[in-house]
Amino acid sequence: MTGGDIGSPVPVAVVGPTAVGKSDLALDLAEALDGEIVNIDAMQQYRGMDIGTAKLAVGQRRGITHHQIDVLDVTEIATVARYQAAATHDIEELLSAGRTPVIVGGSMLYIQGLLDDWKFPATDPQVRARYEEMLAQIGVAALHRRLAEVDPAAAESILDTDGRRIVRALEVVELTGEPFAASAPTIGEARWGTRIVALDRETADLDERIAARTAEMFANGLVDEVAALAEGGLREGRTARRAIGYAQTLAALDGEYDLDRAVELTVIGTRRYVRRQRSWFRRDHRIAWFDAAATDLTDGVLATLDR
């Protein structure tokens, strides 16, 4: 697969809902296209957040270099702007070296920020501080309802547990006088001519995979992982602590409910997130969709990329 110049590589993005099977396809494509992986999962940026993010261990990466994994401490704030700058550098370095960047993950705003070169609205520390104080006083659910009153579309796209993004949306609405989405780029030609493929499965199949993967995470030591990260500041991390699975485990460790309830809430939270991912990605006309359960998946994707 080449770009406009003969022999020049073109990035491939593998997106889709959580637990659908993106990582295996991305590795297959990287092997076939002489590429390297560029992670675009927000929470896989965090060092030590391994089990709960389904991060591939080094021994599972087939010797393929991975970028934008393990680049943040759990006390640091993950932002689309930081990721955009860092991943852009990685991708352009790979392209200059004649390697194919294979971008993989399901973090919706990160994908749009990277592939559509999102220019982020300015921030105002005083306005943001006011909404952060409001968040502390009335709680995330009430602040989400306030967002729904002034910008229903933003409230629909932002989880009602994501206080940081709710605050940012309210800040942008106040500063610009426009809906939060108005600052987003228009979907057009993806940067670098990136080819975007998405995986999905039948809902019942994916629901089963989510339940099985969640059970496996807890069985394989997620509670110990979270407890260790808590010692390193996870509770103080404004973005890391809210990751699905980690937030529920922290609550269980703090005695809010038992571990069985943490597992149940993690499954529920993941399924809700999947619905948002599907809705988001289905709006992008550039995406070629594939059945993740297909036996000839990799060959089918490669055939499409060669067209």
Side-chain angles (χ1 to χ4, degrees), residues 207-235:
D207 282 350
E208 289 180 5
R209 287 173 63 90
I210 290 168
R213 189 169 82 163
T214 300
E216 184 178 2
M217 287 175 175
F218 278 87
N220 288 345
L222 178 59
V223 175
D224 290 339
E225 178 173 284
V226 173
L229 290 169
E231 292 293 322
L234 179 62
R235 287 185 177 85

Side-chain angles (χ1 to χ4, degrees), residues 8-263:
S8 61
V10 174
V12 180
V14 179
V15 304
T18 296
V20 76
K22 298 183 294 292
S23 295
D24 286 341
L25 174 63
L27 289 171
D28 289 346
L29 294 178
E31 287 182 331
L33 299 172
D34 187 27
E36 297 181 11
I37 300 293
V38 180
N39 165 61
I40 200 163
D41 180 297
M43 295 304 162
Q44 289 197 9
Q45 295 177 102
Y46 284 110
R47 285 180 283 270
M49 290 178 62
D50 302 331
I51 297 171
T53 65
K55 187 185 298 176
L56 291 179
V58 173
Q60 298 174 308
R61 298 177 191 174
R62 307 184 198 173
I64 297 168
T65 300
H66 283 55
H67 302 268
Q68 295 309 309
I69 282 182
D70 297 335
V71 294
L72 296 176
D73 291 326
V74 293
T75 54
E76 295 181 274
I77 298 173
T79 68
V80 182
R82 187 220 69 85
Y83 173 84
Q84 181 195 64
T88 294
H89 174 78
D90 291 336
I91 288 167
E92 293 183 347
E93 286 281 303
L94 289 171
L95 292 174
S96 295
R99 307 297 304 279
T100 300
V102 180
I103 305 160
V104 57
S107 294
M108 298 163 283
L109 290 176
Y110 280 62
I111 292 163
Q112 188 165 32
L114 179 66
L115 298 186
D116 293 300
D117 197 15
W118 196 337
K119 304 302 183 187
F120 300 98
T123 185
D124 184 311
Q126 291 183 329
V127 174
R128 177 168 294 196
R130 175 158 40 83
Y131 283 117
E132 287 177 343
E133 177 64 22
M134 193 180 300
L135 173 65
Q137 289 180 350
I138 68 175
V140 65
L143 196 63
H144 189 267
R145 289 193 292 272
R146 182 182 181 90
L147 176 62
E149 293 172 0
V150 299
D151 189 345
E156 176 63 26
S157 66
I158 299 174
L159 288 172
D160 57 9
T161 56
D162 194 340
R164 188 181 65 86
R165 285 204 173 113
I166 294 168
V167 165
R168 176 58 173 155
L170 286 165
E171 177 192 22
V172 170
V173 170
E174 178 169 331
L175 292 176
T176 66
E178 297 180 324
F180 183 56
S183 66
T186 301
I187 294 176
E189 177 70 19
R191 290 175 79 191
W192 310 290
T194 300
R195 303 288 297 275
I196 312 173
V197 300
L199 300 183
D200 207 349
R201 294 175 181 267
E202 293 292 334
T203 297
D205 181 20
L206 188 54
D207 282 350
E208 289 180 5
R209 287 173 63 90
I210 290 168
R213 189 169 82 163
T214 300
E216 184 178 2
M217 287 175 175
F218 278 87
N220 288 345
L222 178 59
V223 175
D224 290 339
E225 178 173 284
V226 173
L229 290 169
E231 292 293 322
L234 179 62
R235 287 185 177 85
E236 290 70 51
R238 289 171 56 189
T239 48
R241 72 182 185 216
R242 295 192 174 98
I244 298 172
Y246 291 85
Q248 291 79 6
T249 303
L250 275 174
L253 290 173
D254 290 341
E256 294 184 28
Y257 39 70
D258 62 22
L259 282 177
D260 287 342
R261 181 60 174 161
V263 173

Side-chain angles (χ1 to χ4, degrees), residues 1 195 197 288 290 298-307:
M1 184 188 65
R195 303 288 297 275
V197 300
F290 292 86
T298 301
D299 289 341
V301 171
L302 287 169
T304 299
L305 297 177
D306 284 337
R307 293 174 189 165

